[in-house]
Amino acid sequence: SSGGRSAGVEVAADGLGASFARGQPASEQQVISDISADLLESVKQDFLSSGGSLSLDEFSKAILRCLEPPPPQPSGPAAKKQLTSVRFVNGGGYPSAAPPGGLPGAPSVESAGPDRAAAVIDLFQRVDVHGEGSITWEEVSNYLVEQGASGGDQFTVDSIKTYEPSQVIDQSKHESVVEKLVYCEQMDSIICMSQSSRSFRLYDPKRCTLKGEVSGHRGSVISCCYVDAFNQLATTSADMTVCMWDPTSLVLRNRIPTKDVQMCVQWDNTSRSLFSGSIDGTLSRFDLQDMCLADVKRGAHKKAINDLLMVQDINLLASAASDGSILMWDTATMRPKKSFKGHKKGTFSLAYSNEYRCLLTAGLDQAALVWNPYVEKKPIFSLKGHTHALCGIAVVPGTPQILSADVAGAFRLWDMRNFRCVQSFGGQDAQGSDLSSFCMMPPHRRLAAGGARIQLYDYMDEWGGESVTDTAGVTEALYNPRAGEFYTVSKRTVKAWQADTGVLFKVMRDIAQQEITAACMADNGRKLYLGDAAGRIAAHSLNNGRVLTEFEPHSTDISCLAVWTGTNKLFSSSWDGVVKVQTDEGSRRPQLKAEFHHHTDGVTCMACSPELMLLATGGTDMQVCLYDLKNFKLDHTIAKLPHVIVGLDFLPERCLLAMVDHGGLLSLWRTRPHPEKWTRIYHLRNLPVMQQVPKELKLATGAEEQRSRSQPPISFAAVRFAPPEAEGWRRPCVMYTADAKGGLRCWNLAPLCERRGVVECDLQALFEREYLVQLKLAQGGGSGIVRNGTNLELGAVASGHGATPENGGPFLTAIGDESSRTPEPAIAPMSSSMRRNGGNNAAATPDVPLLLEVQGHDDGVRNFHFGTEPLSLLSCGQDRRVCTWSAKLESLGVLLKSKDPKYRFPYDREGARQAKLDEAAELLARIGPLSPPLAMLPPIAPNGTRSAPDLAGLEIGGKRRAKTKKDLDSMWRISANRVIEDPDAQEEDYQILFDQMERLGSTVLPAPLRGSAPDRLMRDACARSAVHVPQRTSALSIDEAAAADRLAKAMAALGSDEFGTFSTMARSIRPVARSERAPS
C-alpha cells in the first residue's frame, strides 16, 4: 500500500496528472509512493505518541519530515527564475517549487514546499471524509490498503463493462444442436452449422432472423472461413471436400476434394493460400488460383487439428490439436517454428490479441492459457475458474476483453490487462443447457452462443455512441465546488466529471445494492449521500464509492435527500410519505432525531431553510408540511392544494416560500416569523413558450403574455430562487423554474416586491417579537405588547416602515399553539397588500414578468440546482443530458462522453490551485521547522515466537544457522546522541526516547527517576555506559583501588559526579576479597 503508482484510482483523462489538471496542486498518490514502509512506521509512532490521532498540522508535520527532499536546484539567475515558477516532476504529476539552500539530507519547511504540503492536505482530507478534523492510524492504514487493493483500473472510464442476455431471441426452428457458430464480418452474418446437417444457415446478427439456408455438401458441414482475395466463402464437410460459395447469391462456385475430413480451415492473405487441418493431424495448403492441393505436412500433430489461426503480427499460422500440442507454422515452408506445451488434454480453440501480443488457447483442461508467442517454455498466465471443459475462447478486437466458455454454458469475462475475471454469466441462466460454440460480433457489441438454439448476449456499454450524458438516464446531477467536479447518478453508478473541461475521469460502478433514486452532497464536499429503491440510505466516499455510514432505512423507495447546511443533520423522505431526520455522527453510529408521518402519500420534493429554521416537504397528497427545526415538530400544513407539488424553495431574507405543481401553478407564500405567515401573496400560471423572448435582461410585454393565456399551462418540474451573490442583476430578487417540456425560465420578482412591500426582513427581530407575542398570549395578556416602554409594531419590523392606513399595516389574526392550527384551504386568505392589488396577474404590467427563457432539454427536466464558485445552474433532464447554464441562462456546455466542443464552464482551475498552495504555505508557517524523524529502536519479538528472519534461517535439515546478536544498546545510544546534539529537540522528543528505552525491559534501568526527561535520559545513559566499561583481568593492588575511591569521592565533592559515573567505575575495578566472593 505504500509503494508504486498503481495504488489508488487511476484517472482516465490525463493519467497521473489529471488531478493537478483539476486544480489540485499535487496528487496524494505521489505522497503515498514517496513514503516507504520504514517511514510509515515512523508516522505510526507519531500516532501512538499523540494518543492515537493526529490533527492536520500534526499529520502534515509527521509526513513531510519523512519525505525525501527534492533534488537541489541551480543557483544564480536560473534559481530565481524557478522560484517564481512551477516545475512538473514525476512525469507531470504535480508541481514542485525550487527550495533554497539548507542542510543537505534534512527536511525543512523550504525543502518540503507548498506543493508537497498541499498534497499532504489533500491526503488528510481524503482520509478524514467525515470532516472531524483528526484522523487515526487505523483510518490512514485502511485508506492505504484500500487504495492498493482497488487496482489501477477499477474506476477508470475504459473499464470493461458486462454482458447481459439480449432482448433479441432466436425464433427459428433447429432440427439438431448447433455445432459451430462463425461470424463473418464481410457478409455481416452469423454462419450456423448444426450437428449432422448437410446445410448451413445464415442469420442476421441484429434481429437473429434466418437470412437463408445453403445446401450442397454431401456430409455434415464442419467449418468455414471467408476468403478475402477471392470474395468467396470456404466450407469444409464430412464428405471430404472444400467448397467455395458466392457470398451474395450463395451459389456453389468450386469444389476441392481432399483425402481426409478437414476439421478447420483458415485463409492467409500474405501467402494467398487456404490452410486446413484434417482429422488425422495433417496440415494442408490449397492453391485457390488453380483449385488444387499445394502442400501437405504430416506427423507434427498426432491427433486431429481442431483450430487454425493466422497471427498476422509475426506471420505465423497457429494450430491446436487433440493431442494438446500447439504449433506455429511458417506458411511459406510449411514447417513448425514454435511449439507450446502446457495443456494436458486436447485443445480446441485459439485466439490472439493484436493489442497485447498474447496467444490464448483453450481445451478440455477447464483452464485457458495465455502465451507469449516469442516464449515457448511456459504460459504467462492460466485463466482458471471454469468447472467444465472449455469449448472456446475469444478476444474482442481493440479491447482488453477475453471471453471463455465451457460446455455447460458458463461464460467468464476476463481483463487482459490484469487477467482478472470481470464477470461470470450464462450457465444455468442460459436458455440452452449445453454449449458447443460461440462467436463474437464486435460491430454489434454482442456475442452469439450455440446450443439447442442461438442465444445472444449484449455488451452493456453505457454510452452506445449516443450524444448523451448517460444512456441509462440521469437520476441526479450535483456540483462540488470544493473539488471542481460534477457528479452524475445513473442506476447504481456514479460518474465524476472535471468542471473545467467537462471530461469524464472516474466511474464508480455498482456502489449501491439497488437502483439509486435520490442523492445529495455532504456539507464538507467529501462524501455523497445516496438513497436506493429498497429504502436504504448510505454515505459514500467520493474517492472510491466505499460505504462509510448506513442510516436507518425507509420501508419504500427514497424520494428525496437533503442536508442542513452547517450541521450534521440529514433529511430523507420516501414514497410512503415518511420523513426522517438523522444525524451523521461520522465514525460513530448515526442517530434518528425525528420521524414524521403527516403525509398520506409519497413525498415528491423537499427544501430546508436554516435561516428560518424550517423544513418544507411537498407530496402527491397535494399538501405541504412545514416542520420546526428547533424542536422537530410539525409547525404548519398547507393542505387541499389543487395539484401534486413538485418543487419547493425558500427565500429566507424575505420570508417567502415558492411552490410549483403539476398543474403549472406557481404560488408564493409568506412564512414565519413574518406576521402574515402562511398566506399566499401571489400566484401565476406557467403558460406555453412565448415567441421571440429576449435573451438579454428585458421585460416581456404584457401583450405577449396575454396572447398565450388561452393555452393550458405547462407542468412545472422545479423552482429555485437565485442566491444573494447572483451577479448581473440590479436586485437579486430573481426566480428560476423548469417545466415538463424541458424549458427553463427566469422570473423577475422585483415589481412584486416593490408593489407588495416584500422587502428584506430583520429575521432576528421578527423571531424575538414572535416569541414575545406568543408568550403574552400564553399568559392571557392584551393585544398591546410593550417592551422597554416602547410599543412594538410588528408591521414596521416586517416591512421596513411604519404600519399606517396608507401602507396597509398587517393585522395579526391567529398565533397560538400547534393544536389550534387548522389546515389551510385550497386558496389561502390573501394578505392585505394582495387585496389592495387585486390578487391576480391580469394587470397590463404583470407583478412577476418573465425575464428569460430557453429550451434547455428535449424532454422534461428532472432536477436543477444552483452552484457556487462559479455561480451557475445545473440541470438534468429526461433526455439523458446534463446541461450547465449561467445565471442569464446562457449555455455553458453539456456533459458528454465524447466531450462537448462548446463546453466553456468558467471554473477557475488556476485560482483553485493557487488557493490550495496558499493554504499549504499557511500550514508550513504554522508547523514551523521540520525535524528529522527519530531513529526507531529495534523491536523485540514476543516470547515463544519466531520472526521471519528466524524462520528463513532454518536449514532444510532442520538445523538453524548461527544468529548474529544485535547490539541493541549501541542502536539506542545512537538515537540518544542524535537527540542530545539536536539544539531544537523538544521535551516530547526526550520523552519518546525514554519511553522506548523503558519498553526494552533491561534490568539496568533503575527505579522511576524524578526530574525532566533530558536529565533522566542523561542519567540513564551514563549508568549504562559505566556498567559496560571493560574490566582488568588482573587484580588491582590495594593502593590502586584506594586511589580510585579517592578520585570518585573528589569528583563527587566537586559536583562533577552527578550521575555516579566515577563511583560506579571505582566499584567495578575494586578487587574482590575472598570473603565477598559468592559460594561455589
Side-chain angles (χ1 to χ4, degrees):
S1 61
S2 60
R5 300 190 182 277
S6 61
V9 181
E10 291 184 2
V11 286
D14 302 317
L16 289 173
S19 60
F20 177 75
R22 297 195 305 271
Q24 299 177 2
S27 171
E28 96 285 354
Q29 295 173 354
Q30 280 90 18
V31 174
I32 295 177
S33 63
D34 289 343
I35 299 178
S36 64
D38 294 337
L39 297 182
L40 280 177
E41 183 65 26
S42 176
V43 175
K44 179 181 178 181
Q45 293 301 322
D46 290 330
F47 276 96
L48 297 178
S49 62
S50 300
S53 64
L54 293 178
S55 64
L56 173 60
D57 292 0
E58 296 169 341
F59 178 77
S60 301
K61 189 172 184 178
I63 291 290
L64 291 175
R65 70 180 183 182
C66 291
L67 295 177
E68 292 293 334
Q73 300 300 314
S75 58
K80 295 181 179 179
K81 182 177 180 181
Q82 281 196 349
L83 285 174
T84 58
S85 62
V86 176
R87 64 181 182 88
F88 287 86
V89 296
N90 295 334
Y94 60 95
S96 177
L103 294 177
S108 62
V109 174
E110 292 79 5
S111 64
D115 55 324
R116 281 192 172 183
V120 175
I121 294 175
D122 181 59
L123 175 61
F124 181 89
Q125 293 175 348
R126 289 176 182 269
V127 177
D128 184 26
V129 291
H130 300 297
E132 297 175 341
S134 63
I135 57 177
T136 63
W137 171 250
E138 288 75 17
E139 293 173 343
V140 174
S141 59
N142 290 340
Y143 175 81
L144 297 177
V145 170
E146 289 171 2
Q147 291 295 90
S150 63
D153 59 327
Q154 183 179 0
F155 303 122
T156 51
V157 179
D158 60 346
S159 294
I160 296 176
K161 284 72 178 180
T162 59
Y163 284 85
E164 300 293 340
S166 176
Q167 300 296 328
V168 180
I169 301 176
D170 178 16
Q171 302 288 350
S172 62
K173 182 180 180 180
H174 293 263
E175 299 294 338
S176 58
V177 177
V178 176
E179 186 71 22
K180 191 175 183 65
L181 291 176
V182 176
Y183 174 67
C184 182
E185 187 172 355
Q186 295 86 345
M187 300 171 62
D188 194 24
S189 300
I190 304 173
I191 301 176
C192 175
M193 292 154 278
S194 301
Q195 187 178 12
S196 304
S197 176
R198 298 183 179 182
S199 61
F200 61 92
R201 293 180 173 183
L202 278 73
Y203 283 85
D204 184 1
K206 294 183 179 179
R207 298 181 294 272
C208 199
T209 55
L210 182 63
K211 296 172 61 176
E213 186 170 359
V214 183
S215 302
H217 279 286
R218 302 180 182 89
S220 59
V221 183
I222 300 176
S223 182
C224 69
C225 75
Y226 192 82
V227 181
D228 297 283
F230 293 86
N231 195 24
Q232 294 181 9
L233 179 68
T235 59
T236 63
S237 171
D239 60 1
M240 295 185 293
T241 61
V242 176
C243 294
M244 309 297 296
W245 307 85
D246 184 273
T248 304
S249 60
L250 301 177
V251 176
L252 180 64
R253 291 292 185 87
N254 288 287
R255 189 191 302 268
I256 305 175
T258 60
K259 294 183 179 182
D260 297 303
V261 175
Q262 305 300 310
M263 303 296 296
C264 51
V265 62
Q266 178 69 42
W267 169 256
D268 177 29
N269 277 322
T270 304
S271 62
R272 299 180 66 84
S273 301
L274 182 68
F275 294 88
S276 65
S278 67
I279 197 172
D280 63 349
T282 301
L283 181 66
S284 304
R285 179 166 63 90
F286 296 92
D287 185 357
L288 297 186
Q289 190 69 33
D290 299 331
M291 289 295 166
C292 63
L293 180 65
D295 199 356
V296 175
K297 185 65 177 182
R298 297 184 176 89
H301 289 291
K302 305 302 181 182
K303 294 183 179 180
I305 300 177
N306 298 312
D307 197 10
L308 293 174
L309 178 65
M310 190 65 204
V311 182
Q312 300 293 341
D313 287 352
I314 54 180
N315 196 25
L316 294 178
L317 177 69
S319 60
S322 296
D323 58 2
S325 61
I326 302 165
L327 300 178
M328 301 196 77
W329 303 76
D330 187 343
T331 56
T333 62
M334 288 288 288
R335 293 181 180 179
K337 290 291 186 180
K338 299 179 181 295
S339 176
F340 304 94
K341 296 181 180 180
H343 288 279
K344 298 180 180 179
K345 299 180 181 180
T347 53
F348 289 89
S349 181
L350 297 170
Y352 184 77
S353 173
N354 293 317
E355 289 77 16
Y356 296 91
R357 306 292 192 272
C358 292
L359 177 68
L360 298 100
T361 60
L364 300 176
D365 299 281
Q366 302 181 8
L369 300 182
V370 184
W371 305 85
N372 183 347
Y374 299 96
V375 179
E376 307 177 37
K377 294 182 179 180
K378 57 182 180 180
I380 301 173
F381 199 81
S382 178
L383 304 179
K384 299 180 180 180
H386 287 278
T387 58
H388 297 80
L390 302 185
C391 64
I393 192 166
V395 173
V396 181
T399 70
Q401 299 180 42
I402 305 173
L403 279 133
S404 59
D406 57 36
V407 295
F411 285 87
R412 294 182 77 87
L413 176 62
W414 310 82
D415 192 337
M416 179 77 76
R417 296 168 292 192
N418 48 32
F419 301 118
R420 291 190 303 180
C421 181
V422 178
Q423 182 194 12
S424 298
F425 61 98
Q428 297 179 356
D429 299 333
Q431 293 184 3
S433 57
D434 296 333
L435 183 66
S436 56
S437 176
F438 76 94
C439 65
M440 302 301 303
M441 296 176 283
H444 302 279
R445 294 179 174 268
R446 61 175 40 166
L447 67 86
R453 61 178 65 249
I454 299 176
Q455 171 72 35
L456 299 180
Y457 294 89
D458 290 332
Y459 183 61
M460 305 306 293
D461 189 347
E462 59 256 43
W463 308 114
E466 299 183 56
S467 182
V468 295
T469 303
D470 200 308
T471 56
V474 181
T475 303
E476 184 64 278
L478 304 170
Y479 175 58
N480 185 4
R482 296 175 181 266
E485 298 169 356
F486 291 108
Y487 295 93
T488 59
V489 178
S490 175
K491 299 295 184 181
R492 299 163 54 197
T493 301
V494 176
K495 300 179 177 66
W497 310 70
Q498 295 179 14
D500 57 330
T501 61
V503 173
L504 176 69
F505 70 93
K506 182 168 63 177
V507 179
M508 295 176 284
R509 299 177 176 84
D510 300 333
I511 64 175
Q513 299 181 17
Q514 300 290 333
E515 181 178 352
I516 302 172
T517 56
C520 70
M521 189 77 63
D523 193 24
N524 61 7
R526 302 177 191 175
K527 53 187 175 182
L528 193 66
Y529 297 110
L530 300 178
D532 61 20
R536 286 184 289 264
I537 306 171
H540 297 257
S541 170
L542 285 178
N543 181 45
N544 52 16
R546 178 174 62 92
V547 176
L548 303 173
T549 307
E550 292 186 356
F551 298 87
E552 182 172 324
H554 290 249
S555 58
T556 58
D557 305 33
I558 303 298
S559 60
C560 300
L561 289 175
V563 296
W564 183 351
T565 305
T567 69
N568 62 347
K569 302 296 189 302
L570 173 66
F571 306 109
S572 61
S573 62
S574 56
W575 286 105
D576 58 355
V578 178
V579 178
K580 293 185 179 182
V581 182
Q582 305 186 59
T583 59
D584 186 354
E585 301 292 340
S587 56
R588 298 180 297 274
R589 185 176 180 179
Q591 298 180 5
L592 179 64
K593 291 298 184 180
E595 183 173 343
F596 306 111
H597 299 266
H598 300 96
H599 283 281
T600 59
D601 206 344
V603 177
T604 57
C605 53
M606 180 184 296
C608 174
S609 175
E611 298 86 354
L612 301 177
M613 297 295 291
L614 285 175
L615 173 68
T617 58
T620 56
D621 55 358
M622 293 176 287
Q623 68 175 359
V624 174
C625 296
L626 295 108
Y627 306 95
D628 191 335
L629 295 182
K630 293 181 180 179
N631 51 25
F632 294 114
K633 293 183 179 180
L634 180 67
D635 188 76
H636 190 75
T637 300
I638 304 176
K640 298 181 181 180
L641 296 170
H643 304 284
V644 174
I645 306 301
V646 294
L648 296 167
D649 198 21
F650 286 99
L651 186 62
E653 59 269 17
R654 298 178 187 266
C655 296
L656 287 182
L657 170 66
M659 62 177 69
V660 293
D661 58 31
H662 268 312
L665 181 67
L666 182 149
S667 56
L668 297 175
W669 297 72
R670 283 288 196 182
T671 66
R672 74 168 198 189
H674 197 277
E676 295 181 352
K677 62 180 180 180
W678 319 133
T679 58
R680 191 185 65 181
I681 64 171
Y682 190 79
H683 71 278
L684 61 84
R685 295 186 302 159
N686 190 36
L687 301 177
V689 178
M690 304 175 187
Q691 301 295 330
Q692 298 179 353
V693 175
K695 297 299 185 291
E696 63 273 7
L697 190 61
K698 290 184 179 180
L699 299 181
T701 62
E704 291 177 339
E705 185 176 356
Q706 188 67 29
R707 286 196 298 269
S708 59
R709 286 183 182 278
S710 58
Q711 304 182 27
I714 304 173
S715 299
F716 279 110
V719 61
R720 292 288 182 271
F721 285 107
E725 62 269 18
E727 297 179 358
W729 307 111
R730 180 180 301 176
R731 300 179 68 180
C733 196
V734 179
M735 180 176 57
Y736 295 82
T737 59
D739 57 46
K741 291 188 177 181
L744 300 177
R745 292 185 172 186
C746 177
W747 307 85
N748 184 15
L749 299 180
L752 173 69
C753 295
E754 183 177 356
R755 296 175 184 178
R756 310 289 172 85
V758 183
V759 297
E760 295 186 4
C761 305
D762 186 352
L763 296 181
Q764 183 177 0
L766 285 178
F767 273 118
E768 291 179 357
R769 285 151 178 77
E770 184 184 37
Y771 172 75
L772 291 177
V773 171
Q774 293 181 353
L775 182 62
K776 189 66 175 179
L777 293 178
Q779 295 175 353
S783 59
I785 302 175
V786 180
R787 182 181 182 185
N788 295 330
T790 303
N791 187 20
L792 300 179
E793 295 291 344
L794 298 180
V797 177
S799 60
H801 44 75
T804 62
E806 289 76 17
N807 56 37
F811 178 75
L812 190 61
T813 56
I815 298 179
D817 57 5
E818 183 179 327
S819 60
S820 65
R821 298 190 182 115
T822 57
E824 297 289 342
I827 301 299
M830 298 181 183
S831 65
S832 57
S833 59
M834 189 173 182
R835 287 192 294 268
R836 291 195 309 273
N837 289 278
N840 54 50
N841 56 353
T845 302
D847 287 343
V848 183
L850 180 65
L851 288 178
L852 303 166
E853 67 178 1
V854 65
Q855 187 65 29
H857 295 268
D858 296 333
D859 206 339
V861 177
R862 297 178 62 100
N863 293 294
F864 83 108
H865 307 278
F866 262 104
T868 57
E869 301 178 14
L871 182 68
S872 57
L873 272 169
L874 184 67
S875 64
C876 64
Q878 296 179 0
D879 58 355
R880 302 173 296 176
R881 285 189 165 202
V882 174
C883 303
T884 59
W885 311 89
S886 69
K888 295 187 178 181
L889 295 184
E890 299 170 340
S891 177
L892 301 178
V894 185
L895 299 180
L896 300 175
K897 172 62 170 62
S898 56
K899 194 177 185 307
D900 184 6
K902 299 180 180 179
Y903 187 88
R904 54 187 182 92
F905 189 80
Y907 177 72
D908 187 5
R909 181 181 63 185
E910 290 298 325
R913 168 180 163 274
Q914 188 59 45
K916 292 181 180 292
L917 291 176
D918 294 341
E919 181 185 3
E922 295 177 359
L923 171 70
L924 294 176
R926 289 198 309 268
I927 63 178
L930 303 176
S931 59
L934 299 177
M936 298 303 300
L937 298 179
I940 298 178
N943 295 331
T945 62
R946 286 180 175 177
S947 61
D950 293 336
L951 298 177
L954 295 177
E955 300 289 347
I956 299 177
K959 296 182 179 180
R960 178 174 171 176
R961 292 197 296 262
K963 180 179 178 181
T964 304
K965 184 177 180 180
K966 296 182 180 179
D967 190 359
L968 303 182
D969 293 334
S970 62
M971 297 187 68
W972 72 255
R973 194 178 298 114
I974 294 174
S975 300
N977 292 334
R978 291 185 58 183
V979 175
I980 294 173
E981 295 173 359
D982 186 6
D984 298 328
Q986 304 293 329
E987 175 75 16
E988 59 179 353
D989 298 329
Y990 289 96
Q991 184 65 41
I992 292 173
L993 270 184
F994 191 77
D995 293 341
Q996 291 175 349
M997 289 188 299
E998 287 183 343
R999 287 197 296 269
L1000 288 177
S1002 175
T1003 57
V1004 179
L1005 286 175
L1009 302 175
R1010 297 180 179 178
S1012 62
D1015 294 340
R1016 287 184 291 161
L1017 181 62
M1018 181 64 70
R1019 186 180 299 112
D1020 181 77
C1022 294
R1024 287 176 174 270
S1025 300
V1027 170
H1028 292 280
V1029 171
Q1031 298 185 13
R1032 289 178 51 169
T1033 56
S1034 60
L1036 295 178
S1037 64
I1038 296 177
D1039 295 336
E1040 290 175 336
D1045 289 337
R1046 290 194 299 269
L1047 176 62
K1049 293 178 180 179
M1051 297 300 294
L1054 295 175
S1056 300
D1057 194 15
E1058 181 181 0
F1059 304 107
T1061 304
F1062 289 94
S1063 61
T1064 305
M1065 293 175 61
R1067 288 194 301 269
S1068 65
I1069 63 177
R1070 180 186 306 165
V1072 181
R1074 184 181 301 271
S1075 61
E1076 297 178 357
R1077 294 178 181 175
S1080 58

